Short mmCIF file of all heavy atoms in Angstrom, two decimals:
data_model
loop_
_atom_site.label_atom_id
_atom_site.label_comp_id
_atom_site.label_asym_id
_atom_site.label_seq_id
_atom_site.Cartn_x
_atom_site.Cartn_y
_atom_site.Cartn_z
N ALA A 420 9.82 26.95 -52.67
CA ALA A 420 10.83 26.99 -51.65
C ALA A 420 11.30 25.60 -51.27
O ALA A 420 12.49 25.34 -51.11
CB ALA A 420 10.32 27.75 -50.44
N TYR A 421 10.36 24.68 -51.17
CA TYR A 421 10.73 23.33 -50.81
C TYR A 421 11.46 22.63 -51.95
O TYR A 421 12.35 21.84 -51.75
CB TYR A 421 9.47 22.57 -50.41
CG TYR A 421 9.74 21.38 -49.52
CD1 TYR A 421 10.63 21.49 -48.40
CD2 TYR A 421 9.16 20.14 -49.77
CE1 TYR A 421 10.89 20.41 -47.62
CE2 TYR A 421 9.46 19.06 -48.94
CZ TYR A 421 10.31 19.20 -47.86
OH TYR A 421 10.58 18.12 -47.06
N PHE A 422 11.07 22.96 -53.16
CA PHE A 422 11.71 22.41 -54.34
C PHE A 422 13.21 22.80 -54.34
O PHE A 422 14.07 21.97 -54.49
CB PHE A 422 11.02 22.97 -55.60
CG PHE A 422 11.78 22.86 -56.88
CD1 PHE A 422 12.06 21.63 -57.45
CD2 PHE A 422 12.23 24.01 -57.50
CE1 PHE A 422 12.74 21.54 -58.64
CE2 PHE A 422 12.97 23.91 -58.65
CZ PHE A 422 13.22 22.66 -59.22
N SER A 423 13.48 24.13 -54.09
CA SER A 423 14.87 24.51 -54.18
C SER A 423 15.60 24.32 -52.88
O SER A 423 16.84 24.26 -52.85
CB SER A 423 14.96 25.98 -54.60
OG SER A 423 14.14 26.79 -53.77
N GLY A 424 14.89 24.14 -51.77
CA GLY A 424 15.59 24.03 -50.49
C GLY A 424 15.67 22.62 -49.94
O GLY A 424 16.30 22.42 -48.92
N SER A 425 15.10 21.65 -50.59
CA SER A 425 15.22 20.25 -50.15
C SER A 425 15.95 19.47 -51.20
O SER A 425 16.03 19.92 -52.38
CB SER A 425 13.82 19.67 -49.91
OG SER A 425 13.15 19.41 -51.11
N PRO A 426 16.52 18.34 -50.88
CA PRO A 426 17.39 17.64 -51.83
C PRO A 426 16.67 16.74 -52.87
O PRO A 426 17.33 16.14 -53.72
CB PRO A 426 18.25 16.74 -50.90
CG PRO A 426 17.35 16.44 -49.76
CD PRO A 426 16.53 17.68 -49.56
N TYR A 427 15.35 16.74 -52.83
CA TYR A 427 14.67 15.69 -53.60
C TYR A 427 14.76 15.88 -55.08
O TYR A 427 14.91 14.88 -55.86
CB TYR A 427 13.20 15.57 -53.15
CG TYR A 427 13.09 15.20 -51.67
CD1 TYR A 427 12.60 16.10 -50.71
CD2 TYR A 427 13.58 13.94 -51.24
CE1 TYR A 427 12.57 15.78 -49.37
CE2 TYR A 427 13.50 13.60 -49.90
CZ TYR A 427 13.00 14.57 -49.00
OH TYR A 427 12.98 14.26 -47.68
N ALA A 428 14.76 17.10 -55.59
CA ALA A 428 14.84 17.32 -57.05
C ALA A 428 16.18 16.84 -57.56
O ALA A 428 16.28 16.16 -58.61
CB ALA A 428 14.59 18.77 -57.39
N SER A 429 17.23 17.22 -56.85
CA SER A 429 18.53 16.79 -57.26
C SER A 429 18.68 15.24 -57.19
O SER A 429 19.30 14.61 -58.09
CB SER A 429 19.59 17.50 -56.40
OG SER A 429 20.72 16.79 -56.28
N LEU A 430 18.14 14.68 -56.18
CA LEU A 430 18.14 13.21 -56.07
C LEU A 430 17.32 12.54 -57.15
O LEU A 430 17.64 11.44 -57.62
CB LEU A 430 17.62 12.77 -54.66
CG LEU A 430 18.55 13.08 -53.51
CD1 LEU A 430 17.85 12.91 -52.15
CD2 LEU A 430 19.85 12.24 -53.55
N ALA A 431 16.27 13.27 -57.57
CA ALA A 431 15.43 12.74 -58.70
C ALA A 431 16.26 12.67 -59.97
O ALA A 431 16.16 11.73 -60.76
CB ALA A 431 14.18 13.62 -58.87
N ASP A 432 17.07 13.70 -60.20
CA ASP A 432 17.94 13.72 -61.34
C ASP A 432 18.86 12.51 -61.38
O ASP A 432 19.01 11.82 -62.38
CB ASP A 432 18.80 14.97 -61.32
CG ASP A 432 18.13 16.14 -62.09
OD1 ASP A 432 17.09 15.93 -62.73
OD2 ASP A 432 18.65 17.27 -61.97
N THR A 433 19.47 12.21 -60.27
CA THR A 433 20.44 11.11 -60.24
C THR A 433 19.80 9.73 -60.16
O THR A 433 20.41 8.75 -60.49
CB THR A 433 21.48 11.26 -59.07
OG1 THR A 433 20.75 11.69 -57.92
CG2 THR A 433 22.52 12.26 -59.43
N ASN A 434 18.54 9.68 -59.70
CA ASN A 434 17.90 8.37 -59.53
C ASN A 434 16.72 8.12 -60.39
O ASN A 434 16.05 7.05 -60.28
CB ASN A 434 17.54 8.16 -58.03
CG ASN A 434 18.80 8.10 -57.15
OD1 ASN A 434 19.43 7.04 -57.07
ND2 ASN A 434 19.17 9.23 -56.53
N GLY A 435 16.33 9.08 -61.20
CA GLY A 435 15.28 8.90 -62.18
C GLY A 435 13.87 8.72 -61.67
O GLY A 435 13.06 8.08 -62.29
N PHE A 436 13.58 9.38 -60.54
CA PHE A 436 12.19 9.35 -60.09
C PHE A 436 11.57 10.74 -60.22
O PHE A 436 12.19 11.69 -60.67
CB PHE A 436 12.06 8.88 -58.63
CG PHE A 436 12.84 9.73 -57.60
CD1 PHE A 436 12.23 10.81 -56.98
CD2 PHE A 436 14.13 9.36 -57.21
CE1 PHE A 436 12.93 11.57 -56.07
CE2 PHE A 436 14.77 10.14 -56.24
CZ PHE A 436 14.19 11.22 -55.69
N ILE A 437 10.26 10.83 -59.90
CA ILE A 437 9.54 12.10 -60.04
C ILE A 437 9.13 12.63 -58.70
O ILE A 437 8.86 11.84 -57.78
CB ILE A 437 8.24 11.83 -60.90
CG1 ILE A 437 8.66 11.45 -62.34
CG2 ILE A 437 7.27 12.96 -60.86
CD1 ILE A 437 7.52 10.89 -63.19
N VAL A 438 9.19 13.94 -58.53
CA VAL A 438 8.77 14.51 -57.26
C VAL A 438 7.52 15.41 -57.45
O VAL A 438 7.45 16.17 -58.37
CB VAL A 438 9.88 15.45 -56.68
CG1 VAL A 438 9.55 15.81 -55.22
CG2 VAL A 438 11.23 14.77 -56.75
N ILE A 439 6.55 15.16 -56.59
CA ILE A 439 5.36 16.03 -56.57
C ILE A 439 5.47 16.93 -55.37
O ILE A 439 5.70 16.45 -54.23
CB ILE A 439 4.05 15.20 -56.49
CG1 ILE A 439 3.91 14.31 -57.67
CG2 ILE A 439 2.85 16.10 -56.30
CD1 ILE A 439 2.67 13.32 -57.56
N TYR A 440 5.30 18.23 -55.58
CA TYR A 440 5.31 19.19 -54.48
C TYR A 440 3.93 19.82 -54.39
O TYR A 440 3.60 20.75 -55.09
CB TYR A 440 6.31 20.28 -54.75
CG TYR A 440 7.77 19.88 -54.90
CD1 TYR A 440 8.27 19.54 -56.19
CD2 TYR A 440 8.62 19.81 -53.82
CE1 TYR A 440 9.58 19.18 -56.31
CE2 TYR A 440 9.96 19.43 -53.98
CZ TYR A 440 10.45 19.09 -55.21
OH TYR A 440 11.70 18.72 -55.39
N PRO A 441 3.10 19.31 -53.46
CA PRO A 441 1.79 19.96 -53.29
C PRO A 441 1.98 21.29 -52.60
O PRO A 441 2.93 21.49 -51.85
CB PRO A 441 1.06 18.99 -52.35
CG PRO A 441 1.89 17.77 -52.24
CD PRO A 441 3.28 18.19 -52.55
N SER A 442 1.08 22.21 -52.89
CA SER A 442 1.22 23.56 -52.32
C SER A 442 -0.06 23.88 -51.59
O SER A 442 -1.15 23.87 -52.18
CB SER A 442 1.46 24.50 -53.49
OG SER A 442 1.44 25.81 -53.06
N SER A 443 0.07 24.20 -50.31
CA SER A 443 -1.08 24.44 -49.43
C SER A 443 -1.86 25.70 -49.87
O SER A 443 -1.28 26.72 -50.18
CB SER A 443 -0.66 24.61 -48.01
OG SER A 443 -1.64 25.29 -47.26
N PRO A 444 -3.18 25.65 -49.88
CA PRO A 444 -4.01 26.77 -50.29
C PRO A 444 -4.36 27.73 -49.13
O PRO A 444 -5.01 28.72 -49.34
CB PRO A 444 -5.27 26.09 -50.79
CG PRO A 444 -5.42 24.87 -49.89
CD PRO A 444 -3.99 24.42 -49.60
N HIS A 445 -4.01 27.38 -47.90
CA HIS A 445 -4.52 28.11 -46.75
C HIS A 445 -3.68 29.35 -46.41
O HIS A 445 -2.44 29.35 -46.66
CB HIS A 445 -4.60 27.18 -45.56
CG HIS A 445 -5.39 25.96 -45.80
ND1 HIS A 445 -6.76 25.97 -45.97
CD2 HIS A 445 -5.00 24.67 -46.01
CE1 HIS A 445 -7.15 24.73 -46.25
NE2 HIS A 445 -6.13 23.92 -46.27
N SER A 446 -4.29 30.32 -45.88
CA SER A 446 -3.61 31.50 -45.47
C SER A 446 -2.61 31.12 -44.39
O SER A 446 -2.92 30.35 -43.51
CB SER A 446 -4.56 32.63 -44.99
OG SER A 446 -5.00 32.29 -43.71
N GLY A 447 -1.38 31.62 -44.53
CA GLY A 447 -0.34 31.15 -43.62
C GLY A 447 0.30 29.91 -44.19
O GLY A 447 1.34 29.48 -43.74
N THR A 448 -0.35 29.32 -45.19
CA THR A 448 0.14 28.16 -45.97
C THR A 448 0.59 26.98 -45.11
O THR A 448 1.54 26.35 -45.39
CB THR A 448 1.25 28.56 -46.97
OG1 THR A 448 2.38 28.96 -46.24
CG2 THR A 448 0.77 29.64 -47.89
N CYS A 449 -0.15 26.77 -44.05
CA CYS A 449 -0.01 25.46 -43.36
C CYS A 449 -0.99 24.49 -43.96
O CYS A 449 -1.97 24.91 -44.61
CB CYS A 449 -0.33 25.61 -41.85
SG CYS A 449 0.77 26.76 -41.04
N TRP A 450 -0.78 23.23 -43.79
CA TRP A 450 -1.72 22.27 -44.25
C TRP A 450 -2.88 22.09 -43.32
O TRP A 450 -2.70 22.24 -42.10
CB TRP A 450 -1.02 20.92 -44.46
CG TRP A 450 -0.06 20.98 -45.60
CD1 TRP A 450 1.30 21.14 -45.52
CD2 TRP A 450 -0.38 20.94 -47.00
NE1 TRP A 450 1.86 21.19 -46.77
CE2 TRP A 450 0.85 21.07 -47.69
CE3 TRP A 450 -1.55 20.82 -47.73
CZ2 TRP A 450 0.90 21.11 -49.06
CZ3 TRP A 450 -1.50 20.84 -49.10
CH2 TRP A 450 -0.31 20.96 -49.76
N ASP A 451 -4.00 21.70 -43.86
CA ASP A 451 -5.11 21.38 -42.96
C ASP A 451 -4.92 19.90 -42.50
O ASP A 451 -5.10 19.00 -43.25
CB ASP A 451 -6.45 21.51 -43.71
CG ASP A 451 -7.64 21.02 -42.90
OD1 ASP A 451 -7.49 20.95 -41.65
OD2 ASP A 451 -8.66 20.65 -43.53
N VAL A 452 -4.57 19.79 -41.23
CA VAL A 452 -4.46 18.46 -40.65
C VAL A 452 -5.45 18.30 -39.51
O VAL A 452 -5.38 17.38 -38.72
CB VAL A 452 -3.02 18.15 -40.15
CG1 VAL A 452 -2.07 18.08 -41.30
CG2 VAL A 452 -2.58 19.16 -39.10
N SER A 453 -6.40 19.23 -39.41
CA SER A 453 -7.29 19.25 -38.26
C SER A 453 -8.74 18.98 -38.55
O SER A 453 -9.48 18.60 -37.65
CB SER A 453 -7.17 20.62 -37.57
OG SER A 453 -7.60 21.63 -38.42
N SER A 454 -9.18 19.18 -39.81
CA SER A 454 -10.61 19.01 -40.04
C SER A 454 -10.98 17.56 -40.32
O SER A 454 -10.11 16.75 -40.64
CB SER A 454 -11.03 19.81 -41.28
OG SER A 454 -10.59 19.17 -42.46
N LYS A 455 -12.23 17.22 -40.12
CA LYS A 455 -12.73 15.90 -40.35
C LYS A 455 -12.50 15.55 -41.84
O LYS A 455 -12.19 14.39 -42.20
CB LYS A 455 -14.23 15.86 -39.99
CG LYS A 455 -14.88 14.48 -40.22
CD LYS A 455 -14.63 13.58 -39.06
CE LYS A 455 -15.34 12.23 -39.29
NZ LYS A 455 -14.74 11.14 -38.49
N ALA A 456 -12.68 16.51 -42.71
CA ALA A 456 -12.54 16.22 -44.15
C ALA A 456 -11.17 15.74 -44.50
O ALA A 456 -11.00 14.77 -45.19
CB ALA A 456 -12.89 17.51 -44.92
N THR A 457 -10.12 16.43 -44.00
CA THR A 457 -8.79 16.05 -44.36
C THR A 457 -8.37 14.78 -43.62
O THR A 457 -7.48 14.05 -44.09
CB THR A 457 -7.79 17.20 -44.04
OG1 THR A 457 -6.63 17.06 -44.88
CG2 THR A 457 -7.39 17.29 -42.63
#
Side-chain angles (χ1 to χ4, degrees):
Y421 203 47
F422 163 69
S423 53
S425 72
Y427 300 111
S429 152
L430 290 168
D432 271 349
T433 41
N434 294 278
F436 61 86
I437 292 169
V438 192
I439 298 174
Y440 299 91
S442 174
S443 158
H445 305 289
S446 75
T448 67
C449 298
W450 290 100
D451 174 22
V452 293
S453 62
S454 75
K455 180 82 179 158
T457 202

